[in-house]
Amino acid sequence: MANHFDDANREYVIEDMFPRRDWLNYLWNGNTVLCLTQFGDGNAFTNLGSTNRQIDAGVRYLYVRNRKSGKYWAMNRNFNQEKFDRFECHVGIGYHTIISEVNGIHAELTFMVPMVGRVVMVKAVVTNVSKETLPLDITFVCHPTVVMGPHTSYGEGHKEEGMNALLYTYQGYKIPKFYDDVVLGASRPFDGYEVSEQRFLRGHRTYGNPLPIEKGELASKGSDFDGSYVGALMHRVTLKPGEKFDVVYAYGATNDLEEAKELVSSFASLSRFDKEMASAKEKAKEYDECFHLSSPDPILNSQVNLWLKRQLSLGKDWGRIYGKGFRDVTQDCTAFATLDPALARTRILEILKHQYEDGNPIRMYEPDFNYPYNDGASWIPAALYAYLAETGDKTILDEKIPYLPGTSEEHYDLSDSFTYRAYQGTSYQESVLEHVKRGMDHLAKTRGEHGLVLFLGGDWNDSLNAAGLAKKGESVWLSIASVKAFNEWIDILHFAGKEEWIEEAQKTKEELRHSILSYGQSDGHLIYGFTDEGKAIGAKESEGPTIFLNPQTWAVLASLAPKKTLEGYMDEVEKRLRCPFGYCLCNPSFTKGDDTIGRISYFKPGLVENGSVYNHGVAFKMVADCLLGRGDKAYETYRMIRFDNPENPDNGMEPYAWSNMFVGPEDKNLAGYAPMSWITGTAGWIYRALTQYLFGIRPTLDGLLIDPVLPSSWQEARATRRYKGTLYHFHFVKGKETKILENGRAIPDGLLVPDGRKERFIEVIFMAK
Amino acid sequence: MANHFDDANREYVIEDMFPRRDWLNYLWNGNTVLCLTQFGDGNAFTNLGSTNRQIDAGVRYLYVRNRKSGKYWAMNRNFNQEKFDRFECHVGIGYHTIISEVNGIHAELTFMVPMVGRVVMVKAVVTNVSKETLPLDITFVCHPTVVMGPHTSYGEGHKEEGMNALLYTYQGYKIPKFYDDVVLGASRPFDGYEVSEQRFLRGHRTYGNPLPIEKGELASKGSDFDGSYVGALMHRVTLKPGEKFDVVYAYGATNDLEEAKELVSSFASLSRFDKEMASAKEKAKEYDECFHLSSPDPILNSQVNLWLKRQLSLGKDWGRIYGKGFRDVTQDCTAFATLDPALARTRILEILKHQYEDGNPIRMYEPDFNYPYNDGASWIPAALYAYLAETGDKTILDEKIPYLPGTSEEHYDLSDSFTYRAYQGTSYQESVLEHVKRGMDHLAKTRGEHGLVLFLGGDWNDSLNAAGLAKKGESVWLSIASVKAFNEWIDILHFAGKEEWIEEAQKTKEELRHSILSYGQSDGHLIYGFTDEGKAIGAKESEGPTIFLNPQTWAVLASLAPKKTLEGYMDEVEKRLRCPFGYCLCNPSFTKGDDTIGRISYFKPGLVENGSVYNHGVAFKMVADCLLGRGDKAYETYRMIRFDNPENPDNGMEPYAWSNMFVGPEDKNLAGYAPMSWITGTAGWIYRALTQYLFGIRPTLDGLLIDPVLPSSWQEARATRRYKGTLYHFHFVKGKETKILENGRAIPDGLLVPDGRKERFIEVIFMAK
């Protein structure tokens, strides 16, 4: 059971069938997302306007039955805990393959979402590795889902005449069709099929022992009505020793018979599968040149070169899947601008459409979520900065973008629920630069009695959602984030030649700094803010947490104070928030519900915002460490939240996809457990922390700044980075003081100014601190 | 595998573990419903205002592990299809017991819902029937459900200190508590427990082989967060040969710790269990005297004496569970007035509150469903008649009841969805008699160009829901139902001495009769109606069905025409709607969606209203047969839709609870299959068809009318009936002509007029036809 990274093949290979929780992989295109476990089961769905519709659920098994012995089993799932001769789940970038061997049969079951289409492709290759000829029934079973409300009598599953496919249709009175049907086809004529789960599992059997599989007799007739569907396709073959059988299954969402036929003929095809697989493998390389490193830590190499990019790509393409958070998209942008600047441009222009005329954006769109969060605007400059730093493309600044009509306040919805609706844009348009200015003006305008930015319904900390509803509570963290945003905004204004706006920005920023330092400190650290009632949150005297992580780390990110002060804050972090597997978001957790604080206080201590090791926050901390020159701390922190932390062995996290959190140490039953992988802003921030801050290869508006703080235990590392058309080759070597050299000559300020060359070779002497 | 009725114990005993679909039993009190399969698994829920909240889901197993051999299994569920030495599921009235024997262990697992409380009680008695002393781990596992939206972090499962129970709590920000918690306790201190399903099934195991059961080691700690809960309680015992271990588990919904403690101390108790069991057994007898028969058909005896009453009782207490349909409650009332007249009175007074001021009732309440169905008022007279005929209690007629404010039309909701809201009653009140009159006036007023009652959104046939939305389409069936209602209404008016209203009622009725006979006939049968466009539905020339069952049968129920004409209609039924397992609701079925008809046309042919053998409709047909003196036909029809019809062996229906339908013969894959048991108005109508029409012991406003049409194959039968304080003993004997005798003297018109005697003995000579 040697799970391992296989960088040469761009795979992670799972051999342990039974991690603490299922390990997930995601495959997707613009319309379809496929989620799979190490066994290949899971759910697929397709996007319909602002909602998603499930295509299948859970069950995806390849059964093999030996007609001679009567023995049967699933090649990709040892239902009876039997030992397989071989079991490997190859987590690929764009595909997912389960290779298994048992009872003389070798199988490869590969799942893929092709480049386009509302469809899942599955290829099975079954090989007789025994010494005798084997008569086999090979059956693929999945669980097509067709929305069955309000009347199951509207639906039907059947084999469609003239098609080598099963069709599950749904057409009801006054129900517009919108990809309601599912079709499942195969590349070779099948010899039996089943559509009814009730019939398939009759006799209270399970997917571990379906009678039709046991007997090798599928009902091969249509229907269901009061149960769920299955999609089972059986091929009856005889394989000589060494002989193999291959088939491609395809299933997806369609509107009518024509589309179903088209889907099956296009995708249930061996040649199409091979073509799509070649495309997937080619596409998997697309971000190689953006950044590639070779360090003494092979896992770090795998994560940076492949998997963080991959996880970040899910966010870049699908947001948070259940919706697109304004702050989530902007943050992801900030990271993926280095991978895919064209998409970053598209996303920036898209998100600014979701800003009200008063400059404040909606919290989430598609579907819309309009609780009065007040931090949206503070994320815009960083995203824009990242795009500009990567491309230098000033044309984006003049792009005209509409606003959402009216003010954010007019549209606030305290019901804490999603709205599914068409985009509510207005024809009133302004330039990107003016959009950002309105955002910054909004932050400047919505300040409270301490001169700090108002909480309203919350900030990055979603769950502090009641501290400012009366429009009095102020957020110290959001004020710091605003200082950081003003830093970036001022840089952008210089870059854009918009000098006339700088003075006001500078003034607001200094006011904010002053207010934060005057009212935001407590006992050597920064508090989180004040409630509507004026109670300090995260202060020495507070009930619940007496310190929060983010104000300290963001003070560093915002260059809020002299280095000594910042180091003091970060020392408090080390002292008070560290646990064996990371840094808690706050401590101690809230232990009783407080309606002047919000839902965070109702969460169980140790969960999510209430005291977990929230990896997104830990990534901020890594950046702060680096900015303070504490590279060893940053690297140590990364190792603490990595899957292979020996202090937290049973964390359950995929090695190739970060989880949202580790449950905090206060939850004695779940401490260290890592649920909720893939769908988190953590990936982008860790990626930036490692590449731009630990390695210190940081794009700025002036060029590529080289500012490494590599671990003192390292002697050497290499990295390549594509930047504005030049491929930079970095060679890092430990030395006595930091020096950036090109052809033996020191680069002033470590700033590599683009000069159009194709390649440049940079020697980086990094200091052991 | 000899499933059988056990009338002496008031049980049905299931020995076949694997019917086509799970066989259900329902147990309930005023706040809790428990649904169980032959294995005892299923869902329980409790009512909260107009919604229901689940208490547990699916899983209910009693595992036994032999600590010596390491072998383990579930006593009530042979997960590995192994043969048990004994397996019996005793479907009781108010309890449900699984008796099993395997591996030297005998177990009785009994489920019960006590008389009051939001709670389920489970008693396990485990006996060592082997010859050696056995060390055993005995573990009960269920699946408590706590509503987890919007944030799972709000919830927690744990063992509560100082309680012999597991508590699953949920308390979120701005979420009012309303029986959100679940508690699971045991009558004896337990030796291990589990709350997390993820942990319980870790390693991709199933309930067939959970590792903690296999190892005899439950984690015995709290939590879950990203998975589901389980409730597992383990007792570690050692039983000598013959020794037994008994324990009572109780689980239910609570608001706080105090309620949880109270629930456990009250219900997780052996003595309380025994007391509740005694109450349940006593309560099971409550309707014995209402009607009891002894015929040559033992299954008919079991069904009438026990099971139809039982099924009817679920409807009487819980409506259709998902809501209370006006026409459903009135119809059930019509039947259960003979069992529980006091409740019938309560229900009549309750339903009339859901009538708008224009006399038309809302289609469904709790939750409200306001699609413009137009048949509501036509069901009121029958319910009132049944109550009056059973009791003679005229005081109900003067009870003052409010209306829903405004007219039904103002409140129509075409969205076809439920509204969860508090009762919208008004202070405007009128007497019951005036309520009925407004209803009858509404029917009279809403007539179309043929003088027939308007369809609007539909009638009994829910799914003809688009034929009359433009207020032009007319329903022949509803017009016939109105004639029947006027018949009953006129009888009630005579009874109430309200002669001044009779003339108008008579006039409207005759107009309706005239219109029906003038415009409603086609090709020897009655059509169903006309669409808004004037197209006939169910006529010779119609697309889709050319005949519907209900207009024919209800013509007989309404005495619409001379007997010859009625016999003609019913001959058409025999000719055109009969199939081997009953009579189809229409034929041929709609095969393509038609927006001038409604959703029925989108249903798959053979399903529900679109051509199934809809048992509710077949029960009407049985009554019509009887009224025409076709007792043999009625009895044959009953046998055709009974579970043991040899022409339809694999129908899947519980012998003790009727299903809503048999899938019609046009659905070649599902023909004859009987889904959807228990929750249907069928039970009440079959009960009435058998007792009041086949046996012909029919309460009227003048007394008990005896009008039997018993099968010609019978020689003799007996029945007892409690009516207005008198217990009647009937002895039916086949003869040459029908005669009703008391002490040898003929009873004029077969009408038994109450005279205050305690018992009367009636000899009924029935004619072989």
Side-chain angles (χ1 to χ4, degrees), chain A residues 59-195:
Chain A
V59 171
R60 298 181 196 125
Y61 302 121
L62 186 75
Y63 294 98
V64 172
R65 174 173 177 267
N66 182 325
R67 284 199 300 281
K68 197 150 64 182
S69 68
K71 193 165 178 164
Y72 67 97
W73 64 94
M75 290 300 313
N76 59 321
R77 175 82 158 80
N78 63 339
F79 279 105
N80 300 308
Q81 315 280 316
E82 68 268 33
K83 218 178 138 32
F84 275 23
D85 300 325
R86 182 173 172 193
F87 179 87
E88 292 165 13
C89 170
H90 292 243
V91 176
I93 292 179
Y95 64 93
H96 190 87
T97 302
I98 292 130
I99 300 177
S100 57
E101 212 172 290
V102 64
N103 302 324
I105 303 296
H106 176 282
E108 286 192 27
L109 188 65
T110 302
F111 295 86
M112 195 165 45
V113 173
M115 293 294 148
V116 296
R118 301 176 191 275
V119 58
V120 172
M121 297 173 81
V122 189
K123 181 179 183 180
V125 183
V126 176
T127 310
N128 178 357
V129 291
S130 79
K131 289 188 175 128
E132 50 181 337
T133 295
L134 296 177
L136 302 175
D137 297 339
I138 297 169
T139 309
F140 176 72
V141 179
C142 66
H143 196 284
T145 55
V146 176
V147 182
M148 271 306 180
H151 287 279
T152 55
S153 317
Y154 291 149
E156 167 176 62
H158 64 275
K159 176 170 183 327
E160 185 65 31
E161 274 314 303
M163 267 173 83
N164 192 44
L166 307 180
L167 191 56
Y168 304 83
T169 61
Y170 186 78
Q171 178 63 67
Y173 170 63
K174 287 195 174 171
I175 298 174
K177 286 257 329 171
F178 198 23
Y179 294 101
D180 295 309
D181 299 347
V182 173
V183 65
L184 163 65
S187 62
R188 297 180 187 279
F190 47 84
D191 302 304
Y193 66 95
E194 181 54 280
V195 298

Side-chain angles (χ1 to χ4, degrees), chain A residues 18 20 22 77 81 153-154 173 198 202-204 221-223 226 466 599 604 608 650 669 673 675, chain B residues 18 20 22 77 81 153-154 173 198 202-205 221-223 226 466 599 604 608 650 669 673 675:
Chain A
F18 302 116
R20 173 165 180 176
D22 282 337
R77 175 82 158 80
Q81 315 280 316
S153 317
Y154 291 149
Y173 170 63
Q198 196 181 33
R202 187 167 174 178
H204 257 267
K221 60 184 189 178
S223 259
D226 59 340
R599 69 175 179 225
K604 262 206 312 183
V608 213
D650 194 28
N669 296 313
Y673 172 58
Chain B
F18 303 117
R20 172 164 181 176
D22 282 338
R77 174 83 156 79
Q81 314 280 318
S153 317
Y154 291 149
Y173 169 61
Q198 196 181 34
R202 188 169 172 174
H204 259 267
R205 290 181 171 234
K221 60 184 189 178
S223 258
D226 58 342
R599 68 176 179 225
K604 263 207 310 184
V608 214
D650 195 28
N669 295 313
Y673 173 56

Side-chain angles (χ1 to χ4, degrees), chain A residues 182-227:
Chain A
V182 173
V183 65
L184 163 65
S187 62
R188 297 180 187 279
F190 47 84
D191 302 304
Y193 66 95
E194 181 54 280
V195 298
S196 158
E197 187 182 56
Q198 196 181 33
R199 224 158 41 199
F200 191 66
L201 300 182
R202 187 167 174 178
H204 257 267
R205 291 182 171 232
T206 70
Y207 282 97
N209 61 352
L211 196 61
I213 295 294
E214 188 171 306
K215 292 197 163 175
E217 288 166 17
L218 301 188
S220 299
K221 60 184 189 178
S223 259
D224 212 73
F225 158 64
D226 59 340

Side-chain angles (χ1 to χ4, degrees), chain B residues 151-293:
Chain B
H151 287 279
T152 55
S153 317
Y154 291 149
E156 168 177 62
H158 64 274
K159 176 170 182 329
E160 184 65 30
E161 273 313 303
M163 268 173 82
N164 192 42
L166 307 180
L167 191 55
Y168 305 82
T169 61
Y170 188 78
Q171 177 64 68
Y173 169 61
K174 288 195 174 168
I175 298 174
K177 287 248 348 157
F178 198 24
Y179 294 101
D180 295 311
D181 300 347
V182 172
V183 65
L184 162 65
S187 63
R188 298 181 187 277
F190 47 84
D191 302 304
Y193 65 94
E194 181 54 279
V195 299
S196 159
E197 187 182 56
Q198 196 181 34
R199 223 158 41 201
F200 191 67
L201 300 183
R202 188 169 172 174
H204 259 267
R205 290 181 171 234
T206 70
Y207 282 97
N209 61 352
L211 195 62
I213 296 294
E214 187 171 307
K215 292 196 162 176
E217 288 167 16
L218 302 188
S220 299
K221 60 184 189 178
S223 258
D224 214 73
F225 158 63
D226 58 342
S228 298
Y229 288 132
V230 291
L233 301 180
M234 192 251 276
H235 291 89
R236 190 158 278 165
V237 302
T238 300
L239 297 182
K240 297 199 193 90
E243 198 179 0
K244 69 176 61 172
F245 170 79
D246 59 2
V247 59
V248 169
Y249 314 99
Y251 58 92
T254 55
N255 282 309
D256 54 38
L257 186 57
E258 284 318 298
E259 283 188 22
K261 282 185 175 164
E262 173 64 25
L263 186 149
V264 172
S265 74
S266 300
F267 294 105
S269 149
L270 283 155
S271 61
R272 178 65 178 259
F273 188 93
D274 292 345
K275 216 180 105 201
E276 293 285 348
M277 184 59 119
S279 303
K281 294 213 166 180
E282 198 49 42
K283 191 171 157 59
K285 300 178 194 165
E286 68 184 331
Y287 304 135
D288 279 2
E289 281 202 344
C290 299
F291 197 99
H292 192 276
L293 63 79

